[in-house]
Every structure is written in C-alpha cells, then in structure tokens.
Amino acid sequence: MPKSKRLTELATPFASVVVELEQETSFVKELRGNALAQFNSYGLPAKKEEDWKYTSLWGFSQQQFSHQAIPHTVSQAQTEQLALLKQAYRVVIVDGVFSNELSQIDNLPTGLTVSSLAEGLASVQSHLGGQINIEKAGFNALNTMLMNDGVVITVAKGINIEQPIELLVINSGATENLATHLRNVIVLEENSQVTVIEHYVGLSDIQYLTNVVTEVVLAKSAELTHYKLQQESENAFHIATLAASQAAHSQWKTNSISLGAKLARNDVHTQLLGEQAHVVMDGLYLLNNKQHSDFHTRIDHAVPNTTSEELFKGVIDDKGHGVFNGKVIVHKDAQKTDSNQQNHNLLLSRNCEIDSKPELEIYADDVKCAHGSTVGQMNEDHLFFLRTRGLDEVSARNLLTYAFAVEVLERIPAGDIRKALSAVVEQRLPQGGQ
Amino acid sequence: MLEIKNLHASIDGKEILRGINLTVNAGEVHAIMGPNGSGKSTLSNVIAGRDGYEITQGTVTYKGENLLQLKAEERAQRGVFLAFQYPVEIPGVSNIYLLKAALNAVRKYQGLDDLDAIDFLTLVRSKLELVKMDEEFLHRGVNEGFSGGEKKRNEILQMALLEPSLAILDETDSGLDIDALKTVSDGVNALRSSDRSIVMITHYQRLLDYIVPDFVHVLSEGQIVKTGGKELALELEAKGYSWVNKNA
Ligand SMILES: Nc1ncnc2c1ncn2[C@@H]1O[C@H](COP(=O)(O)OP(=O)(O)O)[C@@H](O)[C@H]1O
Ligand SMILES: [Mg+2]
C-alpha cells in the first residue's frame, strides 16, 4: 500500500525516539530495527483498512506525544489503595517505568519469577515477538521499536501458583501527553498454573498514551487465568495487543473489562496449536460520554479437537461508540473444533453507536461453530415489572443494566477477584439514569 | 378502596376498554371473567400504571386518590400489586435482591427503615413456607428457568411479602396443576383480610372453588356486561361466554 494513504504524517515523530534497555542484546536491537522499518513504511493504520474501519486514528495522529516522563512519586499507600487485590504479588509500573520500591515480589515461591522487562528478558528472549505480527500493524511495530519496560513472568514446569499476580500500571498524570510502550511476557511451562491481572489506572484526566503488548506462551497442559481491568483516565488513549499461543491441553481464560480511556483499542488473539487446547475469551465494555472502545478478537483453531468460548458484552450510553469484531478461524484439518462466540450490546441512549461483527472463517467440515450478536435497548416489560414492585425508574434501569453486564462477571470463579471486579463495575454503571 | 368509573382506554388508537365501571370495597374479593381478548390484562395494566395506554375517558380512584396520575412505582408503594399473567424472567437480578429492593421501597414510602438482614431473612422464610417454595429459589435469577407454576408461586411470594392493600391477580391460575393451584390459593386466602381487596382475573371457574369471591363480573369487549355472586361463575361455566354476550 502506498505510503501516502496511511497516517505516516504524524505530529509526533516516533521514529526519532531512541530506546535501549540495559544490556540490550543484539537480538532485541534487531527486533527494534525491523519494527522501525515496518513502521516507516506503513505508519499507523488508516481507516481504509478493514480492521480499523470503525476506529479513526485521525485525532490520535495529531497529538504531540512525549517520551520523557517528569519524575513523579506515587506512594506505597496510594498503590495499596489503587490495587484491585490486597492478597497478591504486585508489580507496579509508574509512568512507564517498573518500580522496585512499590512492587511486592520479594518472597516468590520456587518456580515463579517476576521481573522487569530489562531484567527478565534474557530468560524469555526466544518468545519475544513470537506471538505478534509487526507487519502492517502500526502499534505493534511502534511497541517493538520503543518498548522500554514491562513485566516478565515465568512459571516452571509443574508449579501451581496459588496467589495471583497483579500488574498495576499507573499513569500519575504528571506528564502531559506521555507515551509509554510496555511489553509484558508471560511464559508458563508444562503443567503450571497461575493467575495474572493486568490493571491500568490513570490518576488524572490528562491525555496520554498507553501502548502495551502482552505476549502469553502456554506450554502443554499449562493454565493461565488472566484478567485485564482498564481504568485509564478519561482522556487517555489505550492501545493494547494481548496475544497467546497455546500448546496441547493448555487452558487460557481471559477476561477484559474496559471502563476508561477516550479511545481504547484491544486486540485479543490466541492460537490453539495443540489438541485439546481450550480458551475462554470474555470481555465487558462500559462506555459513556464520547468514549470509544474497539475490541478485535481472533481465535485460530489450528489443529483438531480444540475449543473456544467467547462472551463479550457492551453497555453503551451517551455518545459512546463500541466496536466488536470477533474472528474465529478454523484452519484446514482442524476437525472437531467446538467454538461459541457471543457478543451482546445494551444501548442506553439514542446517540450511542455499536458496530458488532462476527467473522467466521471455516476451512474444516466437521466442526461446531456457534455465534450470536445482538444489539438491544432496555426491556420495557422488565422495567415495568420492577416498577410495579416499587422500584423507581432510575433504580430499575440501573438494576437492569447491572443484570445485563453481570453475566460476564459470573463467568469468573467465585472469590476475591470476582468480588473486586464486580464492585468496580457496579460503581461505574450509570447513576442518575437518563 | 378502588373505584373505576366509565374507564375508556386505547392503545395505538384502538379502543380496548370501553366504559368500565367497578367498585371494590375494602375486604372484598372480586372475580373478573371473560374470554380471551376481552381486555382483562389491559385493565390490570392500566390499574398498575403501565405506560403506553391512552385514557380517553373516565376515572380510577384508589383510597381517595386519583390513581391515573401516579407512576407505576408510586402505585406500588401505596399498596397496589399486580401479579402478572406472564411473569418475566430477569437473569442477573436475584430473587432475593428483588424482594429486598421491593420491600424496602414500600417501607421507605411508609417512613420505615430498611429491615436488617436477619429480620428480612426470617420474614422471607415464613413467606416461602406459605407458597411452599424452597429457599434455593431466592438465589436464582428472577423466574430464571422456573416452571410455569413456579413463576406463579413466585408472584404470590412477592405479594405475600409486600402485603398490598389491593392485589390484582391476572390469570394466576392458568397453567397450574391442581396441587400448585391449591398452594397458590392458600397463599391468596392467607392474605384475605378486612383491609385488603383482591381482584382475581380468571378464565376458569375452577379457581373460584378455592378462592371464593364476593362478586363475579363478566368482561366482554372492554365492558363489564354482567355482575353477580359466585353462582354466576358456575352458570358461565355451564353455558359458555356466548351466553353472556347474547344477554348483554
Ligand atoms: N400492545 C398492544 N397493542 C395493540 N393491541 C393490543 C395490545 N395489547 C393488547 N391488545 C389488544 O387488546 C385486546 C385485549 O387484550 P388483553 O387485555 O390482553 O385481553 P385478555 O387479557 O382479556 O385476554 C386484544 O384484542 C389485544 O389484541
Ligand atoms: Mg390476559
């Protein structure tokens, strides 16, 4: 595609920013170099591209982003308050930089390593970049060029880690238009288990960019339970790729709850590469004001006998705009694939918008692939029923909105995490009604 | 308690209630019978305050107040209760949450504090017993996956908890087997009192063997065409609705 048709003319000359990790290997240098070449020839995705049809980056491309954070401290007490979980190993990143002081990863059990990108990279280098595509994928290229921090988590063979790990990524609000490019790598060896929560929080209402890539590698029979809670500032750009590859009998359960940011784009992708691999890919987006959220999901059933379950729900109010595009690809010979994808949306205002599109590509013949996509308004019969039981209209609407969203939360196993996420969602639902 | 005078109501320009007159005094039980499509559910909805009906003529007075200018929730808080012909399923709202929210809304109107958790549970348990429902139902979504009979019992459970002054039961008996019918009737009978009125809408005489009404009205094409005592129901059963229409 010719250069001029893409958003290469950016206000921020990303290509001139130089990032280097401590003791950066030639392997990483080479990755950066390739990414730069890709970015230089393709730039950011343009609206003409099918994958970006409903999400315009025009406003984004006009911003002057900075790569120099003004130093700012966040206190231990503050992180304590912001954290979703009290009982967890905690990794804290402030304004794009791993904080040793605020992180609580001192007494890790045998078989678990949690470290900053620079520190942990050597142990996972062979996986770095393996789960993502940087060709014609501007943000992934940008992330690879400029990744400056993040977290590396590894779990050794046969180890089951009981306590969850919370990755708390804070934007302090100290630096106007700060751009951070984080890379997380999570590697589970055979038969290991762990729970990881990615948690993004903005402390102000300034504009900034979080551009994050999380790569997940699950060896045979590994089980990763993964949550992502996105509570960026109301003027933030949050661009994320979450990509996994799964070996035989592995299980990945991921649930993304998207509440913040002015523009949030999430690409969630897994490749089921071994038989009996299973993925549960869920998500919830709550949008109001002029928020824009775009989830692009993709599940590759690459071999026979793999299964996927996907449920995304959206509650859209005011002038919010939601996008859901769910690709399920059943590759040739991937017989006995069983996949179910559902996307349901509740529209609470006349001015909001939703584009929901299931995309099934099936190249095998003996498969079960179900999908459903709905867009609806508040059910008047339900509303009337609740009012005849004495609930005022606003309470009834709020209750029904919560009832719609709660299905996604109910798929989380009962316990502290579900409780904490439910509380956050409840707080974020419309109060005061229309 | 309830006084309806010359009530005309239409929906989308189509007149469905065409001059209803009905007076229900405190302590009375009235049965309204009528063929499908005669306007029974429309009448219940208009009394309960559903939006979308155009009241072109007439008045509805409840405890001396103009009911028609109150919102549905205000009517409920003042003691008007409608048991639905087709109870809705609401996954995601647990039965116990609904019961608590409903009871507290009524108590708030009455100037009472919320019941504490223990008192609430004690009260709910006693009502569950009345309608022979297992406690397990409290933790399911409202009517989610309930059988037809369980849904109707759940309506009576809500009524028993809220202790309304005026209860309208819209075909609560339809689709019930004889055991469920008996349970539901026991639940309703337990609520009969000198300061409470009940309007039972039904298609069949059978319910009236269990809940004996003081008056029976026959509704046909949006009008009450005949009123009598409980023997009217038997006559109706024997002769069919065409009999009333001919006599109207
Ligand atoms: N929402 C509506 N729009 C148009 N017509 C309706 C609506 N609801 C009910 N009706 C019509 O009004 C008449 C009475 O209906 P209803 O009150 O449900 O009768 P019943 O409960 O006695 O069977 C029927 O002819 C029905 O088709
Ligand atoms: Mg009816």
Side-chain angles (χ1 to χ4, degrees), chain B residues 5-68:
Chain B
K5 280 189 184 158
N6 191 31
L7 181 66
H8 289 252
S10 0
I11 191 154
D12 300 333
K14 178 178 155 199
E15 187 166 62
I16 295 168
L17 301 183
R18 301 186 306 131
I20 303 263
N21 290 293
L22 178 69
T23 301
V24 179
N25 294 308
E28 291 175 355
V29 175
H30 290 238
I32 297 180
M33 304 183 71
N36 277 332
S38 57
K40 303 185 297 294
S41 292
T42 303
L43 177 62
S44 333
N45 284 332
V46 168
I47 297 171
R50 190 181 197 114
D51 297 331
Y53 296 99
E54 199 193 341
I55 311 298
T56 50
Q57 273 186 73
T59 57
V60 179
T61 312
Y62 168 74
K63 290 186 179 171
E65 226 181 330
N66 175 2
L67 199 62
L68 297 177

Coordinates of all heavy atoms in Angstrom, one line a residue, chain B residues 5-68:
Chain B
K5 N -64.6 4.4 37.1 CA -65.9 5.0 36.5 C -65.7 5.3 35.1 O -64.8 6.0 34.7 CB -66.2 6.3 37.2 CG -66.9 6.1 38.6 CD -67.4 7.4 39.1 CE -68.1 7.3 40.5 NZ -68.1 8.6 41.2
N6 N -66.5 4.6 34.3 CA -66.6 4.9 32.8 C -65.2 5.0 32.2 O -64.9 5.9 31.4 CB -67.3 6.2 32.6 CG -67.7 6.4 31.1 OD1 -67.9 5.4 30.4 ND2 -67.7 7.6 30.7
L7 N -64.3 4.0 32.5 CA -63.0 4.0 32.0 C -62.9 3.5 30.6 O -63.3 2.4 30.2 CB -62.1 3.1 32.9 CG -60.6 3.0 32.6 CD1 -59.9 4.3 32.8 CD2 -59.9 1.9 33.4
H8 N -62.3 4.4 29.7 CA -62.0 4.1 28.3 C -60.5 4.2 28.1 O -59.9 5.2 28.5 CB -62.7 5.1 27.4 CG -64.2 5.0 27.4 ND1 -64.9 4.5 26.3 CD2 -65.1 5.3 28.3 CE1 -66.2 4.6 26.5 NE2 -66.4 5.0 27.7
A9 N -60.0 3.1 27.6 CA -58.5 3.2 27.3 C -58.2 2.6 25.9 O -58.9 1.6 25.5 CB -57.8 2.3 28.3
S10 N -57.3 3.2 25.2 CA -56.9 2.7 23.9 C -55.4 2.6 23.8 O -54.7 3.2 24.6 CB -57.4 3.6 22.7 OG -58.0 4.7 23.2
I11 N -55.0 1.8 22.9 CA -53.6 1.6 22.6 C -53.5 1.7 21.1 O -54.2 1.1 20.3 CB -53.1 0.3 23.1 CG1 -51.5 0.3 23.1 CG2 -53.7 -0.9 22.5 CD1 -50.9 -0.6 24.1
D12 N -52.5 2.5 20.7 CA -52.3 2.8 19.2 C -53.6 3.2 18.5 O -53.9 2.7 17.4 CB -51.7 1.6 18.5 CG -50.3 1.2 19.1 OD1 -49.7 2.1 19.7 OD2 -49.9 0.1 19.0
G13 N -54.4 4.0 19.2 CA -55.7 4.4 18.6 C -56.8 3.4 18.6 O -57.9 3.7 18.1
K14 N -56.5 2.2 19.1 CA -57.5 1.2 19.1 C -58.2 1.1 20.5 O -57.4 0.9 21.5 CB -56.9 -0.2 18.8 CG -57.8 -1.4 18.8 CD -57.0 -2.6 18.4 CE -57.6 -3.9 18.9 NZ -56.6 -5.0 18.9
E15 N -59.5 1.3 20.6 CA -60.1 1.4 22.0 C -60.3 -0.1 22.5 O -60.9 -0.9 21.8 CB -61.5 2.1 21.9 CG -62.0 2.3 23.3 CD -63.2 3.2 23.3 OE1 -64.2 3.0 22.7 OE2 -63.0 4.3 24.0
I16 N -59.7 -0.3 23.7 CA -59.8 -1.7 24.2 C -60.7 -1.7 25.4 O -61.5 -2.6 25.6 CB -58.4 -2.2 24.6 CG1 -57.6 -2.3 23.2 CG2 -58.5 -3.5 25.3 CD1 -56.2 -2.6 23.4
L17 N -60.6 -0.8 26.3 CA -61.6 -0.6 27.4 C -62.6 0.4 27.0 O -62.3 1.5 26.7 CB -60.9 -0.2 28.7 CG -59.7 -1.2 29.2 CD1 -59.2 -0.7 30.5 CD2 -60.2 -2.6 29.3
R18 N -63.9 0.0 27.1 CA -64.9 0.8 26.5 C -66.0 1.2 27.5 O -67.2 0.8 27.4 CB -65.5 0.1 25.3 CG -64.5 -0.2 24.2 CD -65.0 -0.7 23.0 NE -65.9 -1.9 23.2 CZ -67.1 -2.0 22.7 NH1 -67.7 -1.1 22.0 NH2 -67.8 -3.1 23.0
G19 N -65.5 1.8 28.7 CA -66.5 2.2 29.7 C -66.7 1.2 30.8 O -67.7 0.6 31.0
I20 N -65.6 1.0 31.6 CA -65.6 0.1 32.7 C -66.1 0.8 33.9 O -65.6 1.9 34.2 CB -64.2 -0.5 33.0 CG1 -63.6 -1.2 31.7 CG2 -64.1 -1.3 34.2 CD1 -63.8 -2.7 31.7
N21 N -67.0 0.2 34.6 CA -67.4 0.7 36.0 C -67.2 -0.5 36.9 O -67.7 -1.6 36.7 CB -68.9 1.1 35.9 CG -69.1 2.3 35.1 OD1 -68.6 3.4 35.5 ND2 -69.7 2.2 33.9
L22 N -66.5 -0.2 38.0 CA -66.2 -1.2 39.0 C -65.9 -0.6 40.4 O -65.1 0.3 40.4 CB -65.0 -2.1 38.5 CG -64.5 -3.2 39.4 CD1 -65.5 -4.3 39.5 CD2 -63.2 -3.8 38.9
T23 N -66.6 -1.1 41.4 CA -66.2 -0.6 42.7 C -65.8 -1.8 43.6 O -66.6 -2.8 43.7 CB -67.5 0.1 43.4 OG1 -67.8 1.2 42.5 CG2 -67.1 0.7 44.7
V24 N -64.7 -1.6 44.2 CA -64.2 -2.7 45.1 C -64.0 -2.1 46.5 O -63.2 -1.2 46.6 CB -62.9 -3.3 44.5 CG1 -62.3 -4.4 45.5 CG2 -63.0 -3.8 43.1
N25 N -64.7 -2.6 47.4 CA -64.5 -2.1 48.8 C -63.5 -2.9 49.5 O -63.2 -4.0 49.2 CB -65.9 -2.2 49.5 CG -66.9 -1.2 48.9 OD1 -66.6 0.0 48.7 ND2 -68.0 -1.8 48.5
A26 N -63.0 -2.3 50.6 CA -62.0 -3.0 51.4 C -62.6 -4.3 51.9 O -63.7 -4.4 52.3 CB -61.6 -2.1 52.6
G27 N -61.7 -5.4 51.9 CA -62.1 -6.7 52.4 C -62.8 -7.5 51.3 O -63.0 -8.7 51.6
E28 N -63.1 -7.0 50.2 CA -63.9 -7.8 49.2 C -62.9 -8.5 48.2 O -61.8 -8.1 47.9 CB -64.8 -6.8 48.4 CG -65.9 -6.3 49.2 CD -66.8 -5.3 48.4 OE1 -66.4 -4.9 47.2 OE2 -67.8 -4.8 48.9
V29 N -63.5 -9.6 47.7 CA -62.8 -10.3 46.7 C -63.7 -10.3 45.4 O -64.8 -10.8 45.5 CB -62.4 -11.8 47.1 CG1 -61.8 -12.6 45.9 CG2 -61.5 -11.8 48.3
H30 N -63.1 -9.8 44.4 CA -63.9 -9.8 43.1 C -63.2 -10.7 42.1 O -62.0 -10.7 42.0 CB -63.9 -8.4 42.5 CG -64.8 -7.4 43.3 ND1 -65.8 -6.7 42.8 CD2 -64.7 -7.0 44.6 CE1 -66.4 -6.0 43.8 NE2 -65.7 -6.1 44.9
A31 N -64.1 -11.3 41.3 CA -63.5 -12.1 40.2 C -64.0 -11.5 38.9 O -65.1 -11.0 38.8 CB -64.0 -13.5 40.3
I32 N -63.0 -11.3 38.0 CA -63.4 -10.8 36.6 C -63.1 -11.9 35.6 O -62.0 -12.4 35.6 CB -62.6 -9.6 36.3 CG1 -62.9 -8.4 37.3 CG2 -62.9 -9.1 34.8 CD1 -62.2 -7.1 37.0
M33 N -64.2 -12.3 35.0 CA -64.0 -13.4 34.0 C -64.3 -12.9 32.6 O -65.0 -11.9 32.5 CB -65.0 -14.5 34.3 CG -64.8 -15.1 35.8 SD -65.8 -16.5 36.2 CE -65.1 -17.7 35.2
G34 N -63.8 -13.5 31.6 CA -64.1 -13.1 30.3 C -63.2 -13.8 29.3 O -62.2 -14.3 29.6
P35 N -63.7 -13.8 28.0 CA -63.0 -14.6 27.0 C -61.6 -13.9 26.7 O -61.4 -12.7 27.0 CB -63.9 -14.5 25.8 CG -64.8 -13.4 26.0 CD -64.9 -13.2 27.5
N36 N -60.8 -14.6 26.0 CA -59.5 -14.1 25.5 C -59.7 -12.8 24.7 O -60.6 -12.8 23.9 CB -58.8 -15.1 24.7 CG -58.0 -16.1 25.5 OD1 -57.6 -15.7 26.6 ND2 -57.8 -17.3 25.0
G37 N -58.9 -11.8 25.0 CA -59.0 -10.6 24.2 C -60.1 -9.6 24.6 O -60.3 -8.6 24.0
S38 N -60.7 -9.9 25.8 CA -61.8 -9.1 26.2 C -61.3 -7.8 26.9 O -62.1 -6.9 27.1 CB -62.8 -9.8 27.1 OG -62.1 -10.4 28.2
G39 N -60.0 -7.8 27.3 CA -59.5 -6.6 27.9 C -59.1 -6.8 29.3 O -58.8 -5.8 30.0
K40 N -59.0 -8.0 29.8 CA -58.7 -8.3 31.2 C -57.3 -7.8 31.6 O -57.1 -7.1 32.6 CB -58.8 -9.8 31.5 CG -60.2 -10.3 31.2 CD -60.4 -11.8 31.6 CE -59.4 -12.8 30.9 NZ -59.7 -12.9 29.5
S41 N -56.3 -8.2 30.8 CA -54.9 -7.8 31.1 C -54.7 -6.3 30.9 O -54.0 -5.6 31.6 CB -53.9 -8.5 30.2 OG -53.9 -9.9 30.6
T42 N -55.4 -5.7 29.9 CA -55.4 -4.3 29.7 C -55.8 -3.6 30.9 O -55.2 -2.6 31.4 CB -56.2 -3.9 28.5 OG1 -55.7 -4.6 27.3 CG2 -56.1 -2.4 28.2
L43 N -56.9 -4.0 31.5 CA -57.5 -3.4 32.7 C -56.5 -3.5 33.8 O -56.2 -2.5 34.5 CB -58.8 -4.1 33.1 CG -59.4 -3.6 34.4 CD1 -59.8 -2.1 34.3 CD2 -60.7 -4.4 34.7
S44 N -55.8 -4.6 34.0 CA -54.8 -4.8 35.1 C -53.7 -3.9 34.8 O -53.2 -3.2 35.8 CB -54.3 -6.2 35.2 OG -55.1 -7.1 34.7
N45 N -53.2 -3.8 33.6 CA -52.1 -2.9 33.3 C -52.4 -1.4 33.5 O -51.5 -0.7 34.0 CB -51.6 -3.1 31.8 CG -50.9 -4.4 31.6 OD1 -50.2 -4.9 32.6 ND2 -51.0 -5.0 30.4
V46 N -53.6 -1.1 33.2 CA -54.0 0.4 33.4 C -54.0 0.7 34.9 O -53.5 1.7 35.3 CB -55.3 0.7 32.7 CG1 -55.9 2.0 33.1 CG2 -55.1 0.6 31.2
I47 N -54.5 -0.3 35.7 CA -54.5 0.0 37.1 C -53.1 0.0 37.7 O -52.8 0.8 38.6 CB -55.4 -1.1 37.8 CG1 -56.9 -1.0 37.4 CG2 -55.3 -0.9 39.3 CD1 -57.7 -2.2 37.8
A48 N -52.3 -0.9 37.2 CA -50.9 -0.9 37.7 C -50.0 0.2 37.2 O -48.9 0.5 37.8 CB -50.3 -2.3 37.4
G49 N -50.4 0.9 36.1 CA -49.7 2.0 35.7 C -48.7 1.8 34.5 O -47.7 2.5 34.4
R50 N -49.0 0.9 33.7 CA -48.1 0.7 32.5 C -48.3 1.8 31.6 O -49.4 2.3 31.3 CB -48.5 -0.6 31.8 CG -47.5 -1.0 30.8 CD -47.9 -2.3 30.1 NE -46.7 -2.8 29.4 CZ -46.1 -3.9 29.7 NH1 -46.6 -4.7 30.6 NH2 -45.0 -4.3 29.1
D51 N -47.1 2.3 31.0 CA -47.1 3.4 30.0 C -47.7 2.8 28.7 O -47.6 1.6 28.4 CB -45.7 3.9 29.8 CG -45.1 4.5 31.0 OD1 -45.9 5.0 31.9 OD2 -43.9 4.4 31.2
G52 N -48.1 3.7 27.9 CA -48.5 3.4 26.5 C -50.0 3.3 26.3 O -50.4 3.1 25.1
Y53 N -50.8 3.4 27.3 CA -52.2 3.4 27.1 C -52.7 4.8 27.1 O -52.2 5.7 27.9 CB -52.9 2.6 28.3 CG -52.6 1.2 28.3 CD1 -51.6 0.7 29.2 CD2 -53.2 0.3 27.4 CE1 -51.3 -0.7 29.2 CE2 -52.9 -1.1 27.4 CZ -51.9 -1.5 28.3 OH -51.6 -2.9 28.3
E54 N -53.7 5.1 26.3 CA -54.3 6.4 26.3 C -55.6 6.3 27.0 O -56.5 5.5 26.6 CB -54.4 6.9 24.9 CG -54.6 8.4 24.8 CD -55.1 8.8 23.4 OE1 -55.0 8.0 22.5 OE2 -55.6 9.9 23.3
I55 N -55.7 7.0 28.1 CA -57.0 7.0 28.8 C -57.8 8.2 28.2 O -57.5 9.3 28.4 CB -56.8 7.3 30.3 CG1 -55.7 6.4 30.9 CG2 -58.1 7.1 31.1 CD1 -56.0 4.9 30.8
T56 N -58.9 7.8 27.5 CA -59.6 8.8 26.8 C -60.8 9.4 27.6 O -61.2 10.5 27.4 CB -60.2 8.3 25.5 OG1 -60.8 7.1 25.7 CG2 -59.0 8.1 24.5
Q57 N -61.3 8.6 28.6 CA -62.4 9.0 29.4 C -62.3 8.2 30.7 O -61.8 7.1 30.8 CB -63.7 8.6 28.8 CG -64.3 9.6 27.8 CD -65.7 9.2 27.4 OE1 -66.7 9.2 28.1 NE2 -65.8 8.7 26.2
G58 N -63.0 8.8 31.7 CA -63.2 8.1 33.0 C -62.1 8.3 34.1 O -61.2 9.0 33.8
T59 N -62.4 7.7 35.2 CA -61.5 7.9 36.4 C -61.2 6.6 37.1 O -62.0 5.7 37.0 CB -62.2 8.9 37.4 OG1 -63.4 8.3 37.8 CG2 -62.4 10.3 36.9
V60 N -60.1 6.6 37.8 CA -59.8 5.5 38.6 C -59.3 6.1 40.0 O -58.3 6.8 40.0 CB -58.6 4.6 38.1 CG1 -58.3 3.4 39.0 CG2 -59.0 4.0 36.7
T61 N -60.1 5.8 41.0 CA -59.7 6.3 42.3 C -59.3 5.2 43.3 O -60.0 4.2 43.3 CB -61.0 7.1 42.9 OG1 -61.5 7.9 41.9 CG2 -60.6 7.9 44.1
Y62 N -58.2 5.4 44.0 CA -57.7 4.4 44.9 C -57.5 5.1 46.2 O -56.7 6.0 46.3 CB -56.4 3.8 44.3 CG -55.6 2.9 45.3 CD1 -56.1 1.7 45.7 CD2 -54.5 3.4 45.9 CE1 -55.3 0.9 46.6 CE2 -53.7 2.7 46.8 CZ -54.2 1.4 47.1 OH -53.4 0.7 48.0
K63 N -58.1 4.6 47.2 CA -58.0 5.2 48.6 C -58.2 6.7 48.5 O -57.5 7.5 49.1 CB -56.7 4.9 49.2 CG -56.6 3.4 49.6 CD -55.3 3.2 50.4 CE -55.1 1.7 50.8 NZ -53.7 1.5 51.4
G64 N -59.2 7.1 47.7 CA -59.5 8.5 47.6 C -58.5 9.3 46.7 O -58.7 10.5 46.5
E65 N -57.5 8.7 46.1 CA -56.5 9.4 45.3 C -56.7 9.1 43.8 O -57.1 8.0 43.5 CB -55.1 8.9 45.7 CG -54.1 10.0 45.9 CD -52.7 9.5 46.3 OE1 -52.6 8.4 46.9 OE2 -51.8 10.1 45.9
N66 N -56.5 10.0 42.9 CA -56.5 9.8 41.5 C -55.3 8.9 41.1 O -54.2 9.4 41.0 CB -56.5 11.1 40.8 CG -56.4 10.9 39.2 OD1 -56.5 9.8 38.8 ND2 -56.3 12.0 38.5
L67 N -55.6 7.7 40.9 CA -54.6 6.7 40.6 C -53.9 7.0 39.3 O -52.7 6.7 39.1 CB -55.2 5.3 40.6 CG -54.2 4.1 40.8 CD1 -53.5 4.2 42.1 CD2 -54.9 2.8 40.6
L68 N -54.6 7.5 38.3 CA -54.1 7.6 37.0 C -52.9 8.6 36.9 O -52.2 8.6 35.9 CB -55.2 8.0 36.0 CG -56.3 6.9 35.9 CD1 -57.4 7.4 34.9 CD2 -55.7 5.6 35.4

